[in-house]
Amino acid sequence: MKNILVTGGAGAIGRNLLKALYAQHGSQMVIAGYNRTPLTGLPDGSLSAQVDVYDKERLISVVEEHDLDDGEIYHLAALLSIAAEKDPERARRVNMGGLKNVLDVAREYDMRVFWPSSIAVFGSSAPKHNTPQNAPLDPEFEYGRNKVEGEKLLNQFFDEFEVDGRSVRYPGLLTPGKPGPGTTEYAIEMIYAAVRGEHYASPLRHDTELPMMDMRDATRAALEIMKAPKEDIKVRTSYNLSAMSFTPEELAEEIRKHIPRFKTDYKIDDLKQRVADSWPNSIDDSSARDQWGWNHRYGLPEMTEHMIAEIQKELEILRNANGGVKYG
Ligand code: AKB
């Protein structure tokens, strides 16, 4: 087994993936990459590196210093949908420029790459329900356009240079921790509000149905697609991936099974609503299931129960440490 670099280690996927990689390979083979946000809570003796993915020379020096040739990169550093819409130039630089550098380096050092795409690649020409793997890609917003370009780049590097890049189109991902500036992240905010005993004003309409996934499934998907035999990976853009779909109203109802006094109302955020309305309601991921054995484990009830329990623990720890709750 060769060494592994994770870029964007401080983000939501990065934090969870690092834990899973440490559990599988130990901390000495995994290099936790970060850029602006320093990493905290890494295991003793683990390795980390400051790496701005837009700085190719720096990326090369990290790869050489940590003996990463022939190894793997999980390239997670990216801006989410709302951040990308607010700063499209930076989004293009990080989301597309960063991936191009990673693929150039992977080509030179013979590395396998994992890179997450998103349900944001779909726009108005794609069927809303059970959106198929090969539905047309015409996203209306910057983030989705970055992801489509990224998928094309991944495909081109495979066809022309045999770079073994593997990718999944993640739906909204749910994990405890500060929610990033995305669209589906409202669901994380809602569960935090409920656990804190607060009411929640949803930025999306009560009936806005979006595809979602428990981060435990998302992390496993990344590890499984990277381990799959090369000949099983037949989609060299990105695989549709699915676990559950729900609306803000359905999530609130599920939360009330655990916290009956939880109350919501609606204060629609125009940008988030337009982005959400442009995305699918549900996803057909049969290609991933058939070709490399993808299978989700957690649905809405399991995810909600787990999130509530984990957030309760987290808030309890903060309360004990600070004499009050701090989050966000
Ligand atoms: C976002 O909402 O920006 C992301 C995504 C679905 O890619 N969570």
Side-chain angles (χ1 to χ4, degrees):
M1 187 60 210
K2 285 298 214 156
N3 288 346
I4 299 167
L5 172 65
V6 176
T7 73
I13 309 176
R15 291 193 311 267
N16 286 279
L17 194 62
L18 280 170
K19 262 192 232 152
L21 288 168
Y22 291 141
Q24 285 195 350
H25 305 282
S27 55
Q28 289 306 301
M29 292 175 66
V30 183
I31 294 75
Y34 63 94
N35 185 19
R36 293 182 182 180
T37 316
L39 296 162
T40 51
L42 297 182
D44 285 346
S46 60
L47 304 167
S48 62
Q50 192 279 332
V51 50
D52 175 353
V53 287
Y54 198 62
D55 180 350
K56 190 147 109 188
E57 292 316 306
R58 174 73 192 138
L59 193 56
I60 289 173
S61 69
V62 170
V63 166
E64 292 190 343
E65 191 185 322
H66 292 282
D67 208 12
L68 282 152
D69 55 303
D70 236 2
E72 295 181 349
I73 306 187
Y74 290 80
H75 172 46
L76 309 175
L79 261 64
L80 291 179
S81 54
I82 300 304
E85 210 46 38
K86 291 187 173 159
D87 192 347
E89 206 172 306
R90 182 159 171 252
R92 281 192 285 277
R93 201 169 59 235
V94 178
N95 294 357
M96 285 148 63
L99 176 63
K100 170 75 167 61
N101 285 344
V102 165
L103 290 172
D104 282 339
V105 171
R107 178 185 170 196
E108 200 172 325
Y109 292 88
D110 206 10
M111 301 175 77
R112 183 175 288 183
V113 178
F114 174 81
W115 170 77
S117 184
S118 162
I119 55 161
V121 291
F122 297 113
S124 55
S125 309
K128 286 283 211 193
H129 297 284
N130 290 328
T131 308
Q133 176 67 44
N134 293 324
L137 307 181
D138 63 345
E140 285 157 46
F141 294 92
E142 186 61 35
Y143 175 67
R145 289 195 288 267
N146 296 170
K147 291 294 188 190
V148 172
E149 288 310 311
E151 290 191 8
K152 285 187 192 153
L153 211 56
L154 209 65
N155 193 246
Q156 182 196 342
F157 268 72
F158 177 72
D159 283 347
E160 289 181 20
F161 313 120
E162 290 180 42
V163 173
D164 189 0
R166 301 170 179 214
S167 176
V168 293
R169 292 172 178 155
Y170 278 135
L173 302 180
L174 287 116
T175 185
K178 188 182 175 192
T183 305
T184 57
E185 279 63 18
Y186 87 85
I188 302 175
E189 292 171 359
M190 186 190 283
I191 305 175
Y192 266 97
V195 176
R196 280 204 235 96
E198 294 168 359
H199 115 282
Y200 182 68
S202 168
L204 299 182
R205 262 191 339 264
H206 68 105
D207 58 352
T208 308
E209 185 183 21
L210 287 169
M212 300 277 185
M213 182 177 285
D214 189 305
M215 183 66 86
R216 292 171 293 172
D217 274 335
T219 305
R220 192 170 44 78
L223 299 176
E224 286 180 5
I225 196 173
M226 286 294 268
K227 280 218 179 74
K230 201 169 171 182
E231 59 279 11
D232 290 354
I233 306 300
K234 297 187 171 51
V235 175
R236 287 296 179 168
T237 49
S238 187
Y239 278 96
N240 279 7
L241 213 63
S242 169
M244 64 185 111
S245 286
F246 57 75
T247 65
E249 192 168 50
E250 286 163 347
L251 176 59
E253 262 168 39
E254 192 59 42
I255 293 171
R256 276 194 281 274
K257 293 181 186 164
H258 305 267
I259 306 172
R261 280 181 307 177
F262 177 52
K263 286 200 171 50
T264 48
D265 61 11
Y266 297 89
K267 191 167 173 239
I268 305 308
D269 177 316
D270 180 57
L271 175 59
K272 287 185 184 172
Q273 188 66 58
R274 283 188 295 121
V275 172
D277 286 342
S278 75
W279 289 354
N281 302 140
S282 59
I283 296 284
D284 174 356
D285 62 354
S286 45
S287 298
R289 289 177 193 259
D290 295 345
Q291 293 173 15
W292 49 275
W294 160 248
N295 212 340
H296 76 280
R297 289 185 187 155
Y298 306 106
L300 177 59
E302 298 82 17
M303 177 281 293
T304 308
E305 192 179 347
H306 175 73
M307 286 285 287
I308 290 176
E310 289 299 307
I311 292 170
Q312 276 167 341
K313 270 192 244 159
E314 180 191 315
L315 296 188
E316 193 51 40
I317 292 168
L318 285 175
R319 212 172 273 124
N320 291 339
N322 302 331
V325 173
K326 278 209 191 102
Y327 140 78

